[in-house]
Amino acid sequence: MAKVTGKVFDVSLFKRLLFYTNPYKLTLYFVAIAAILLSVFAIARPILLKITVDDYILTKDKHGLLIYVLFMLGFLILEVIFQFLFVFYANWLGQSIIKDIRQKLFNHMLNFKMAYYDKSSVGRLVTRAVSDIETIASIFSQGLFVIIADLLKMLVVMGVMLWMSWKLSLIVFAILPLIIYATRVFQKAMKSAFEEVRAQISNLNSFVQERVTGMKIVQLFSREETEYKNFKSINEKHKQGWLKTVWYNSIFFPIPELANAVAVGLVVWYGGLMAATSDTVDVGEILAFIMMIGMLFRPLRQIADKFNTLQMGMVAAGRVFSILDTESKIEDDGKLSSIDIKGNITFKDVHFSYVEDEEVLHGISFEVKQGQTVAIVGATGAGKSTIINLLNRFYEIDSGTIYIDDINIEEVKLAALRAKIAVVLQDVFMFADTILNNITLENPAITRETVIKAAKQIGVHDFIMSLPNNYDYNVKERGGMLSSGQRQLISFLRAYVTNPRILILDEATSSVDSYSEQLIQNATDTITKGRTSIVIAHRLATIKKADTIIVMDAGNIVEQGSHTELLQIEKGYYRNLYEVQFIQQETA
């Protein structure tokens, strides 16, 4: 999160925000001009009021009175028109800027390493991309330009006051330092308060997102009461954060109103005495001063209020820019943007660690020939899934080299590399969309006809046609309308339609029923035919059919060979694994 810098206004951060106004310079200039004109139109009313009272009401000039009333009406109409244009285009500018920032942020997040997401809360990232960015818009729509307009209005009002009567002006100005000092203290207090508010909002979003996502676990283990208590605690902190801002507002906002009342009273008292005893002050001036005092003091309160908005937007901007400044992406410096591979894979002395100095792969080396099916087995944490993560370059290796057809994968553009590799995971993620879109992922190169043909080839067409709206069936969030076996079948089809040269199956049949397993096994036989395949599985049938089995333990390859060859190793790791686990499956 952004840190409290102690500054009421972070100029460097604001300059960075202004960079995003470059495509909208004309709108920016118009809003600035409208702010200037609004101050002119506003001050015209008290001046016209003074002239109307002194020159036409007191002299009973009906014709002149009508003319000046029409003048006042005209300036009022102009003020309303420009106020509308000012508000509309200031908001339009704010929304346009955050649209650009949000797009840049999302694109930046799309290219983060998987390691970044391993350590980051989804709820916090969602808060940054949605709530925080929306708050940035208020800098332009409710903060910056409103403050500028109010400051201009105050400067013009002070000039007109001095022009009319310097004595009455000094009475009003004598009260200003009190309000300015109170405003300054208020702004500093609110800066810290809003930091806390944004932090609590982020915590709340993160907590709710995780519990809603994991609601099944919460209910399975009867954690409802515990999680409710935890939520109450976080919600209370969120409330206290907001109450701190309410407390500061409650203290500050009566001060300008009190100052306004005192200033009006003093002007009426002193101006009335001068009007009654001499001709140095006119009645029209007193009325104009009463109107201008409100125009001078009210913006001070509004400026403080809008400064709160500005500060909250700046805090949000700091948090968003902290993500934009995060360098956590795989270097995509490869020069090969298109490759026609056969499917040979070579790992050569590959070392890797998720956490520095905690190596999980200890210099592994192996080869997979074109068209071969290789199974990787081993206990949980042995490094099986890490291998496929490295092949797809989701993580950077510490040392060593990975080749595809004698080409170092670091020499290939990420998009080109991953276009040749398809992965079917155990935990299938599906979007809240139709089955067709979940298969094609809206790739225009993959037509409905292609999908249907592929579905028939791997034996899942009948299953899809049995669903309401078949290929247009909406699976809802995370594919909740389908069973785990059905989601697996969709993931197989998703991989198959991309026509990959290398196929990876990461424990894709470990949690499905026997009927779905048979369908998946048939699908596996179809989609692995003629392709280089890496299979991470516990199912005996898949492993026995593999050309080569790589046995891993604690980040090392301890055995390698065919099913028959590995069973012949006395006291071998694979043989022991087979006897303990696989024989149980055969006799089950």
Side-chain angles (χ1 to χ4, degrees), residues 380-451:
T380 301
K384 305 185 299 296
S385 295
T386 300
I387 289 176
I388 65 173
N389 285 333
L390 297 181
L391 184 60
N392 279 280
R393 292 198 68 201
F394 289 138
Y395 300 86
E396 296 279 23
I397 61 177
D398 297 339
S399 63
T401 315
I402 302 174
Y403 298 95
I404 293 181
D405 289 355
D406 298 324
I407 301 172
N408 188 330
I409 61 172
E410 293 183 0
E411 298 176 5
V412 184
K413 289 288 186 183
L414 287 175
L417 173 68
R418 293 171 182 171
K420 300 297 181 179
I421 303 172
V423 182
V424 179
L425 299 173
Q426 176 185 359
D427 184 18
V428 180
F429 185 89
M430 300 189 74
F431 297 95
D433 206 334
T434 64
I435 284 182
L436 181 65
N437 287 340
N438 269 288
I439 294 169
T440 66
L441 298 178
E442 301 190 22
N443 183 345
I446 305 174
T447 65
R448 176 185 285 262
E449 290 71 25
T450 301
V451 172

Side-chain angles (χ1 to χ4, degrees), residues 186-198:
F186 176 68
Q187 289 166 353
K188 287 184 177 180
M190 291 301 287
K191 169 84 171 173
S192 175
F194 279 135
E195 285 278 3
E196 185 175 343
V197 165
R198 299 308 302 172

Side-chain angles (χ1 to χ4, degrees), residues 256-267:
E257 295 298 328
L258 178 62
N260 185 85
V262 171
V264 169
L266 290 175
V267 165

Side-chain angles (χ1 to χ4, degrees), residues 547-549 560-570 574:
D547 298 299
T548 302
I549 299 172
Q560 188 170 342
S562 68
H563 173 71
T564 304
E565 291 169 346
L566 292 177
L567 286 180
Q568 293 175 355
I569 301 174
E570 288 290 335
Y574 179 79

